[in-house]
Amino acid sequence: MKKNNLLIFSLSIILFGCATLKQNNTRKQIDINALVDLVNVNDDKVKVVIDPPKISDNEINFYIPQIVPGTYEYSNFGRFIENIKAFDYKGNELPINQEDDNTWSITEAKKLDKIIYLTNDTFDGPDGKAIYPMGGTNYKKDVTFLLNLHSMIGYFEDMKEKSYRLSIRSPKNLEPFTSLSVISKSDTLDIFSAKRYFHIIDNPILYSEPNAVSFDLDDIKVGLAIYSPTGIHKAEDYQDAIEKMMIAQKKFLGDANNTTSYDILLHLMGMEDLQYFGGMMGALEHHTSTTVVFVDQMQAEELTQSLVDVVSHEFFHTLTPLNIHSEEIHNFEYNTPLMSKHLWMYEGTTEYFANLFQINQGLIDEQNFYNRILEKLNYSKRYDDKMSFTEMSSKIVDEPYQTNYGNVYQKGALINMCLDIIIRENSNGEKGILSVMQDLAKKYGKEKPFKDNLLIDEIISMTYPEVADFFKNHVEGKVPINYMEYLNKVGLTMGETEVPLPSILFKDNQNPFFEPQPDQDGKVRYVVTGLNDTIESMGVEIGDVFLGLDGKMLPEIKKENAEQINAVFTPSFMWDDKKEFTLTIQRNMEKQTLIGITGKPNAKVSGVVEDRDADEKTLALRTAWLKN
Ligand SMILES: [Zn+2]
């Protein structure tokens, strides 16, 4: 059992080359017709037809992406395609050869009318678990379809800039939810348009029975649609929290925000799906929408806070990379990618802001914010602290860099915290990393990429020599950061504090309340070795043997049963503080079932706290940092 089984990995689609966000291209001639059939789904496969314009070359390649922006790993989506066939205008088959996982060559291309193939989804099958669920596809005939089109629709060589008309045949009971531009909609056929291939993959579509809300926040139109397998989660129940969050984000960003519409596609999966993906869930960012995948068993309060943390992160991507990105991202290559050096910004700044805006706008209190810093300090220790962040970023698809990717959300955010504090200190509290980003967004914006090698020098020229030293040593260089040096500047220090436990299974913020120990016969059992307030009040005692949780009994404790053991523990991470649950224990050969309510068990830890002896100047800097 590990909490990182449930770590929420927020991914971002790095943005690039969007000609414009508004997709009113109805008058423009359509170049490529794509047809997707969600009605005649056989054997969990969806048929796709791609009909390109007349081709003038003798031979042409057809591609499915090897990698898509925001995932930072090779996905090889071509492996989800099968039975691909090419046809001429008379309906005769043409030769088509698979060149690699993601490439097919068509000879006699001048005669090519269309290609037809079947697509597998990524929510089952041997290869699907390798794909983040939020970047994946889920086909559940007549029930729901989560369509991340990069594993379904491909592009022809030199035709990435051509426009697409996407026609989707759909079951009558399911409605589409997407930020893709709509040409027409009916019960059984929905037609969308995309100015270029990028818009096909930047606008996922969720088909489900109607469960959506839409509302206006000043000049931004927000939509939320939910697929919930049990139907328990209703979109209207989450509207208030999303509204409050996005108003706070807009206030925080000021005029750096110019998004006009934003859609949230929330696909809730069952526990078996969560097990299949090894606990992975989270969100993938796009220009005007985000796909979020969580678990249906999460309780309302837990789901709300997760949505706030994850969707706010995704929405902040509208600042970077949408309005601040390098040429590598602007001209992203799906099959021969070049990576940018600036994940410290695309993911790090974004994740830092997703936490900072919550204290800045009063959604959380100071200690909650410090505890989040502490969590990032602790998690960042799991990664190589002596790896250059810019080098890691530019080589992220390869090892050993790929294994360290998760650090962009931990150390990446802390890098920005340190930069923020340095800039605040040097500007008498007036400026911070947000003002730097606002200025960069004004200078660059959606259409104008920066040169990857020049960004850091540019930021240095906008700020202070201390910023130059920090980048040189701790972002480009390999020197670990002494975080206390920066926290002390704003009157923070290490001291005893209370943090909420990850779940009632814990006795402190790292360790469960039980340990595997062999009995006289050598059989391993989970013996209670520590307590938290909740289980103590239920009557659990040190030395009890832990047998089951909330009616689910643990199997024999051995490695082979890891998945079943996990399945017993995992739900407890999704409980809010009002959940009634049972613990089954054995004491003196007697089996007992104890009943309790989760509550909010805390643990005393050494953490980030306010320094009572901080002087006035330091306190003023802290206020500027958190509240300006
Ligand atoms: Zn992200």
Side-chain angles (χ1 to χ4, degrees):
M1 180 197 63
K2 276 189 183 169
K3 192 190 172 238
N4 67 348
N5 259 339
L6 272 170
L7 259 188
I8 291 162
F9 289 81
S10 304
L11 302 172
S12 69
I13 275 282
I14 285 200
L15 315 155
F16 48 94
C18 45
T20 157
L21 274 179
K22 289 211 171 136
Q23 299 162 357
N24 304 322
N25 56 341
T26 44
R27 290 179 68 91
K28 199 172 171 256
Q29 193 204 323
I30 297 292
D31 297 312
I32 297 167
N33 278 292
L35 194 85
V36 170
D37 186 349
L38 301 181
V39 176
N40 299 301
V41 179
N42 295 314
D43 196 20
D44 204 25
K45 299 176 208 293
V46 167
K47 190 170 122 179
V48 175
V49 181
I50 309 278
D51 182 353
K54 186 134 183 61
I55 288 157
S56 51
D57 295 326
N58 289 322
E59 191 174 333
I60 197 165
N61 282 341
F62 176 72
Y63 301 101
I64 296 283
Q66 174 188 36
I67 183 169
V68 290
T71 56
Y72 306 106
E73 62 170 21
Y74 291 130
S75 297
N76 295 315
F77 290 111
R79 59 184 149 163
F80 300 102
I81 305 297
E82 63 179 56
N83 208 16
I84 189 165
K85 287 179 178 160
F87 294 93
D88 69 13
Y89 289 97
K90 291 174 186 157
N92 302 312
E93 270 193 52
L94 291 175
I96 180 165
N97 298 307
Q98 183 156 14
E99 303 292 327
D100 61 36
D101 275 356
N102 311 294
T103 311
W104 290 263
S105 69
I106 298 147
T107 49
E108 304 179 49
K110 281 182 177 166
K111 294 189 208 162
L112 180 68
D113 175 22
K114 60 191 171 191
I115 58 173
I116 300 179
Y117 50 86
L118 295 173
T119 64
N120 285 291
D121 65 352
T122 66
F123 270 57
D124 47 44
D127 288 336
K129 63 178 75 172
I131 307 296
Y132 293 114
M134 45 282 198
T137 47
N138 192 10
Y139 306 158
K140 275 182 156 178
K141 192 172 161 41
D142 297 328
V143 176
T144 185
F145 292 90
L146 173 65
L147 308 181
N148 270 295
L149 295 165
H150 45 236
S151 71
M152 301 177 71
I153 309 252
Y155 63 94
F156 288 94
E157 195 175 349
D158 299 326
M159 286 197 202
K160 280 209 306 269
E161 301 306 310
K162 299 270 186 203
S163 65
Y164 280 71
R165 177 203 296 264
L166 172 63
S167 305
I168 302 185
R169 292 192 61 202
S170 69
K172 274 188 184 154
N173 61 324
L174 305 186
E175 279 186 11
F177 185 82
T178 179
S179 50
L180 196 59
S181 188
V182 176
I183 296 175
S184 70
K185 259 191 204 178
S186 77
D187 273 0
T188 52
L189 183 68
D190 304 309
I191 304 177
F192 305 95
S193 71
K195 271 197 168 173
R196 56 201 193 98
Y197 183 67
F198 167 70
H199 287 132
I200 288 283
I201 63 168
D202 191 44
N203 294 284
I205 306 174
L206 175 66
Y207 273 90
S208 69
E209 289 191 347
N211 181 6
V213 288
S214 161
F215 48 94
D216 291 304
L217 295 177
D218 300 336
D219 45 0
I220 171 167
K221 196 168 182 58
V222 180
L224 166 70
I226 301 182
Y227 164 68
S228 163
T230 58
I232 204 163
H233 297 283
K234 300 287 177 215
E236 54 262 31
D237 296 340
Y238 297 90
Q239 179 173 339
D240 284 354
I242 299 282
E243 246 185 83
K244 196 173 159 199
M245 168 189 86
M246 290 190 77
I247 288 169
Q249 285 190 282
K250 278 164 57 80
K251 274 193 193 153
F252 176 82
L253 283 174
D255 59 5
N257 173 57
N258 52 15
T259 308
T260 56
S261 75
Y262 201 73
D263 292 315
I264 302 158
L265 286 60
L266 175 58
H267 186 84
L268 295 167
M269 56 184 177
M271 291 300 285
E272 314 79 58
D273 286 336
L274 184 72
Q275 297 289 341
Y276 174 73
F277 288 112
M280 181 71 75
M281 52 190 192
L284 187 61
E285 165 60 5
H286 304 278
H287 275 69
T288 53
S289 66
T290 180
T291 312
V292 187
V293 176
F294 285 136
V295 182
D296 201 51
Q297 280 81 355
M298 288 172 95
Q299 292 193 287
E301 195 182 308
E302 185 71 18
L303 182 58
T304 304
Q305 186 58 52
S306 299
L307 272 174
V308 169
D309 286 335
V310 167
V311 177
S312 65
H313 173 107
E314 304 309 336
F315 185 71
F316 278 129
H317 276 310
T318 58
L319 181 59
T320 184
L322 174 56
N323 279 290
I324 311 168
H325 56 253
S326 72
E327 290 166 332
E328 283 76 3
I329 287 160
H330 200 74
N331 307 308
F332 193 87
E333 290 292 343
Y334 309 105
N335 289 69
T336 44
L338 284 172
M339 293 307 196
S340 163
K341 293 200 288 190
H342 301 294
L343 273 172
W344 71 270
M345 179 176 76
Y346 307 135
E347 289 303 337
T349 307
T350 301
E351 176 63 10
Y352 175 60
F353 285 169
N355 288 280
L356 183 66
F357 97 99
Q358 296 195 50
I359 171 75
N360 182 274
Q361 295 293 316
L363 301 187
I364 57 173
D365 64 19
E366 277 80 358
Q367 191 56 52
N368 183 318
F369 182 70
Y370 307 149
N371 289 349
R372 287 163 180 252
I373 295 172
L374 177 69
E375 195 175 288
K376 293 201 182 297
L377 288 170
N378 287 336
Y379 278 131
S380 72
K381 289 176 193 155
R382 299 178 182 191
Y383 301 100
D384 183 355
D385 202 20
K386 291 187 179 134
M387 185 175 272
S388 153
F389 234 71
T390 45
E391 185 185 344
M392 173 176 92
S393 181
S394 64
K395 299 176 182 170
I396 195 70
V397 288
D398 299 313
E399 292 297 352
Y401 309 100
Q402 170 69 194
T403 310
N404 283 276
Y405 170 71
N407 213 8
V408 300
Y409 304 108
Q410 315 299 336
K411 188 174 178 178
L414 296 170
I415 284 171
N416 281 273
M417 176 188 80
C418 296
L419 286 169
D420 203 13
I421 291 170
I422 295 169
I423 298 168
R424 290 279 175 209
E425 186 183 33
N426 281 278
S427 64
N428 291 319
E430 300 232 323
K431 290 186 170 181
I433 193 73
L434 177 60
S435 21
V436 172
M437 292 297 144
Q438 284 166 334
D439 290 348
L440 287 172
K442 266 177 221 152
K443 174 168 178 190
Y444 291 101
K446 294 184 197 77
E447 308 300 337
K448 192 176 165 198
F450 58 77
K451 290 226 178 294
D452 214 55
N453 275 324
L454 302 181
L455 178 72
I456 288 175
D457 284 344
E458 182 166 10
I459 292 174
I460 292 166
S461 74
M462 296 160 70
T463 53
Y464 308 97
E466 288 83 348
V467 170
D469 293 341
F470 188 86
F471 271 111
K472 186 165 153 269
N473 292 325
H474 305 303
V475 183
E476 299 179 290
K478 301 179 175 188
V479 185
I481 303 167
N482 173 12
Y483 295 105
M484 287 323 294
E485 188 186 317
Y486 301 93
L487 292 173
N488 287 342
K489 289 176 192 286
V490 287
L492 298 179
T493 183
M494 292 303 277
E496 191 179 80
T497 179
E498 288 205 346
V499 295
L501 298 182
S503 105
I504 52 91
L505 292 175
F506 286 73
K507 62 180 177 189
D508 55 45
N509 65 337
Q510 308 254 346
N511 304 295
F513 67 69
F514 50 88
E515 279 173 20
Q517 288 175 11
D519 65 7
Q520 293 118 317
D521 306 327
K523 205 175 142 199
V524 177
R525 290 141 37 114
Y526 282 145
V527 177
V528 177
T529 55
L531 299 171
N532 60 51
D533 288 349
T534 300
I535 64 165
E536 191 173 8
S537 71
M538 292 164 76
V540 179
E541 292 175 10
I542 305 255
D544 289 346
V545 177
F546 179 29
L547 298 178
L549 179 65
D550 211 29
K552 281 188 211 139
M553 291 301 126
L554 289 160
E556 193 181 332
I557 311 301
K558 55 179 183 182
K559 230 182 177 174
E560 294 84 338
N561 288 340
E563 254 187 43
Q564 289 109 290
I565 295 170
N566 244 333
V568 175
F569 292 153
T570 309
S572 73
F573 290 92
M574 301 168 198
W575 293 345
D576 59 23
D577 56 0
K578 296 177 210 73
K579 162 79 179 167
E580 194 179 277
F581 70 101
T582 60
L583 270 176
T584 309
I585 53 128
Q586 184 181 310
R587 185 181 302 154
N588 304 326
M589 306 308 288
E590 191 197 331
K591 200 163 146 183
Q592 298 187 25
T593 298
L594 308 169
I595 302 170
I597 290 172
T598 40
K600 288 184 176 170
N602 285 325
K604 283 197 169 59
V605 296
S606 172
V608 178
V609 295
E610 294 183 348
D611 178 2
R612 284 157 197 266
D613 301 326
D615 61 26
E616 244 173 64
K617 201 177 150 210
T618 307
L619 291 179
L621 186 61
R622 184 200 298 160
T623 304
W625 170 49
L626 296 179
K627 294 293 181 183
N628 264 15

